[in-house]
């Protein structure tokens, strides 16, 4: 079976971001399972005309059994428009692997026109929430759900501290630092917890790029809460993964109170599970599909600093339950290993003959 993969890959280089990381895993998997896997790397398509030439040749002059598109929604839309008008029959061989959560919203709002997707062999989204959203645009029969995936290696992380009562509880936030990611609510929750008498010590460390318009406010808050909140810069979970996961495993719980409209299947949740961290996350978009209430973490209402503070207090005051949540999280991580996800879900789908 001959496969063509189109997307930003940056092959033979350390991946820059989740899209390249995911696509490099797809290349590795496809080359192990198919007789031929050709790759069109779109990373530099804006500055390298030869990418467009190769794309045209392989799309319209070479025959493939399946064409996999794993690119941003905007890039995919432009590509599908070209294929629709030049060789519409090619769409029936294409599998679009949706990245992020914006695509269904754009189709519903008619920013992206439905007709360019209706003839695709498959549209793959990362959760049932996104599939349900696509139903609003009458895209359903060719939509399948396959969760996000990572390379889950067997790494022996240091055991969590045996006696939580004798040390402070360490929370971590790892994402883009912006208001829509729930960062203001974290500081509000910290303020509420500070009012609790006899509460054991705790800290919150922030990792990630700080959104430019939010920088002044964020660093002002870091200064105001310097006794328990720290900005730690960037944690590379794409390149230097083992070292970074060891760092992540030193924490006890991840905070993820997002209410960003474009939130899809956040890979950072899988990162937390790999490191044995339960998650306090907002009940927003797909989070309830990934975070199991009372098993791998706690779900709270979006924008509720009160519920966030209450969940953090549970973690601080109940070390025995925290140990159970941590163990469950490590177990949960195994469900997102790319070899299992792609073998059990994507491979049968690709090999299925069109009706």
């Amino acid at each position: 079976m001959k496969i063509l993969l189109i997307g930003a890959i940056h092959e033979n280089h350390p991946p820059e971001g989740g899209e390249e990381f995911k696509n490099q895993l797809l290349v590795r998997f496809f080359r192990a399972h198919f007789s031929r896997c050709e790759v069109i790397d779109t990373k530099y398509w804006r500055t390298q005309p030869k990418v467009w030439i190769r794309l045209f040749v392989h799309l319209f002059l070479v025959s493939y059994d399946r064409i996999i598109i794993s690119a941003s929604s905007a890039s995919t839309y432009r590509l599908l428009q070209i294929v629709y008008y030049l060789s519409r029959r090619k769409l029936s061989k294409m599998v679009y692997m949706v990245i992020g959560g914006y695509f269904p919203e754009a189709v519903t709002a008619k920013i992206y026109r439905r007709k360019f997707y209706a003839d695709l062999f498959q549209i793959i989204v990362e959760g049932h929430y996104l599939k349900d959203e696509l139903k609003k645009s009458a895209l359903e029969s060719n939509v399948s759900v396959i969760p996000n995936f990572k390379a889950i290696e067997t790494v022996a992380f240091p055991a969590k501290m045996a006696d939580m009562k004798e040390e402070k509880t360490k929370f971590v936030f790892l994402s883009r630092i912006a208001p829509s990611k729930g960062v203001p609510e974290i500081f509000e929750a910290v303020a509420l917890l500070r009012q609790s008498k006899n509460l054991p010590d705790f800290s919150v460390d922030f990792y990630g790029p700080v959104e430019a318009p939010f920088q002044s406010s964020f660093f002002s808050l870091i200064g105001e809460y310097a006794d328990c909140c720290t900005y730690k810069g960037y944690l590379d979970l794409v390149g230097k993964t083992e070292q970074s996961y060891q760092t992540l495993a030193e924490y006890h719980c991840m905070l993820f109170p997002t209410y960003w409209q474009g939130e899809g299947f956040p890979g950072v949740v899988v990162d937390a599970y790999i490191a044995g961290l339960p998650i306090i996350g907002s009940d927003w978009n797909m989070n309830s599909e990934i975070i199991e209430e009372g098993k791998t973490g706690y779900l709270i209402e979006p924008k509720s600093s009160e519920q966030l503070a209450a969940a953090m207090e549970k973690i601080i005051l109940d070390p025995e339950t925290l140990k159970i949540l941590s163990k469950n999280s490590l177990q949960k991580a195994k469900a997102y290993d790319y070899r299992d996800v792609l073998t059990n879900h994507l491979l049968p789908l690709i090999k299925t003959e069109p009706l």
Side-chain angles (χ1 to χ4, degrees):
M1 196 171 192
K2 293 166 61 179
I3 298 290
L4 175 64
L5 174 63
I6 301 169
I9 300 163
H10 210 202
E11 197 170 4
N12 300 320
H13 293 84
E16 298 174 2
E19 180 181 342
E20 291 179 20
F21 184 76
K22 183 174 184 177
N23 287 341
Q24 287 186 11
L25 293 178
L26 286 174
V27 171
R28 189 189 308 177
F29 181 82
F30 288 155
R31 286 182 174 161
H33 288 83
F34 296 107
S35 58
R36 179 180 175 186
C37 173
E38 192 66 41
V39 168
I40 305 294
D41 191 345
T42 61
K43 180 175 176 65
Y44 297 112
W45 66 270
R46 294 179 185 274
T47 58
Q48 295 184 359
K50 66 180 182 180
V51 174
W52 283 101
I53 296 171
R54 289 194 70 240
L55 186 60
F56 181 88
V57 169
H58 285 276
L59 269 179
F60 302 113
L61 302 180
V62 181
S63 177
Y64 289 94
D65 299 296
R66 284 285 175 269
I67 300 169
I68 316 295
I69 305 173
S70 181
S72 70
S73 58
S75 297
T76 300
Y77 186 61
R78 286 191 287 268
L79 178 60
L80 293 182
Q81 286 178 297
I82 294 170
V83 175
Y84 182 91
Y85 289 115
L86 293 184
S87 182
R88 184 173 173 179
R89 60 184 176 83
K90 287 277 185 181
L91 294 172
S92 65
K93 292 187 175 184
M94 290 185 163
V95 176
Y96 171 31
M97 301 189 70
V98 179
I99 294 174
Y102 175 67
F103 169 64
E105 177 188 344
V107 176
T108 302
K110 299 184 179 179
I111 297 170
Y112 299 156
R113 297 175 65 185
R114 177 191 177 277
K115 72 175 186 178
F116 298 119
Y117 303 93
D119 295 336
L120 290 174
F121 176 67
Q122 282 289 319
I123 300 169
I124 296 174
V125 294
E126 294 177 336
H128 293 281
Y129 168 82
L130 299 178
K131 182 175 181 177
D132 291 341
E133 287 295 299
L134 285 173
K135 287 181 183 179
K136 299 176 183 178
S137 304
L139 283 173
E140 183 176 3
S141 61
N142 64 339
V143 179
S144 298
V145 176
I146 296 179
N148 202 348
F149 48 83
K150 295 260 184 174
I152 313 293
E153 308 298 343
T154 304
V155 180
F157 291 117
K160 302 297 181 185
M161 299 298 182
D163 191 352
M164 291 284 295
K165 295 179 181 178
E166 295 183 3
E167 62 136 6
K168 67 181 177 182
T169 305
K170 298 168 65 178
F171 296 96
V172 62
F173 174 90
L174 174 59
S175 188
R176 178 169 51 88
I177 296 175
S180 61
K181 289 287 188 173
V183 173
E185 284 73 19
I186 293 176
F187 286 106
E188 290 170 8
V190 168
L192 290 172
L193 290 172
R194 277 172 148 187
Q195 298 172 15
S196 300
K197 295 181 178 179
N198 302 318
L199 188 70
D201 287 342
F202 69 94
S203 65
V204 181
D205 286 350
F206 293 84
Y207 292 88
V210 185
E211 193 175 75
F214 188 52
Q215 286 183 0
S216 177
S217 298
F218 173 71
F219 287 112
S220 176
L221 288 165
I222 286 290
E224 183 179 346
Y225 294 91
D227 59 317
C228 57
C229 294
T230 308
Y231 177 59
K232 305 287 281 188
Y234 181 67
L235 188 64
D236 184 5
L237 288 168
V238 174
K240 300 176 180 178
T241 52
E242 185 171 347
Q243 178 182 338
S244 296
Y245 279 126
Q246 293 284 351
T247 299
L248 194 56
E250 293 173 4
Y251 293 92
H252 299 104
C253 180
M254 178 174 285
L255 305 178
F256 192 63
T258 182
Y259 43 91
W260 178 49
Q261 194 64 38
E263 203 74 69
F265 188 125
V268 70
V269 172
V270 182
D271 293 327
Y273 289 159
I274 292 171
L277 272 64
I279 302 160
I280 299 173
S282 52
D283 190 359
W284 180 260
N285 286 9
M286 291 173 52
N287 283 356
S288 62
E289 297 182 43
I290 314 162
I291 303 169
E292 296 184 65
E293 173 67 28
K295 187 173 181 181
T296 62
Y298 299 113
L299 289 165
I300 61 171
E301 290 184 13
K303 302 184 181 182
S304 175
S305 53
E306 293 82 6
Q307 289 190 17
L308 178 57
M312 291 171 71
E313 189 172 36
K314 278 187 189 178
I315 294 292
I316 295 168
L317 295 177
D318 193 349
E320 292 306 314
T321 296
L322 176 56
K323 291 177 186 178
I324 296 170
L325 295 174
S326 179
K327 182 179 178 181
N328 291 341
S329 298
L330 281 169
Q331 187 66 29
K332 181 78 170 178
K334 298 175 183 177
Y336 300 111
D337 181 71
Y338 83 99
R339 287 155 288 219
D340 292 337
V341 171
L342 299 181
T343 299
N344 296 330
H345 300 286
L346 184 61
L347 198 58
L349 198 64
I350 289 176
K351 290 183 175 180
T352 301
E353 291 298 324
L355 295 176

